[in-house]
Amino acid sequence: MLSNWGGDFMNTKVIGNINLLLLFGLLQFVTTFGIAFLYARHSRTHLDPLARDLEQRFHEGTRR
């Protein structure tokens, strides 16, 4: 929306030829990798132990 209706604002120079539009575009990569990192850490600490427990209970039930 900002690039469509806030052209003057997004064209604001920050450093040299780098404007806000370029910075916001690059920040999308940072936030994407940050969210992926946080999800992987959450999954490793909270979801993986649950999955291992469930798998162990499943294998114990099939051996009977």
Side-chain angles (χ1 to χ4, degrees):
M1 288 182 6
L2 283 173
S3 64
N4 194 25
W5 291 296
D8 293 335
F9 172 70
M10 294 302 282
N11 202 22
T12 302
K13 302 282 184 191
V14 178
I15 300 171
N17 288 330
I18 299 174
N19 59 17
L20 285 177
L21 182 64
L22 180 60
L23 283 180
F24 284 165
L26 293 175
L27 282 175
Q28 286 182 343
F29 289 104
V30 173
T31 56
T32 299
F33 287 112
I35 291 169
F37 171 76
L38 291 174
Y39 177 75
R41 188 173 69 177
H42 171 77
S43 177
R44 186 174 46 249
T45 58
H46 293 92
L47 302 178
D48 288 349
L50 294 173
R52 281 191 293 274
D53 181 49
L54 184 61
E55 182 181 23
Q56 182 181 8
R57 289 191 308 172
F58 172 75
H59 287 300
E60 287 174 357
T62 58
R63 291 183 196 149
R64 294 179 191 174

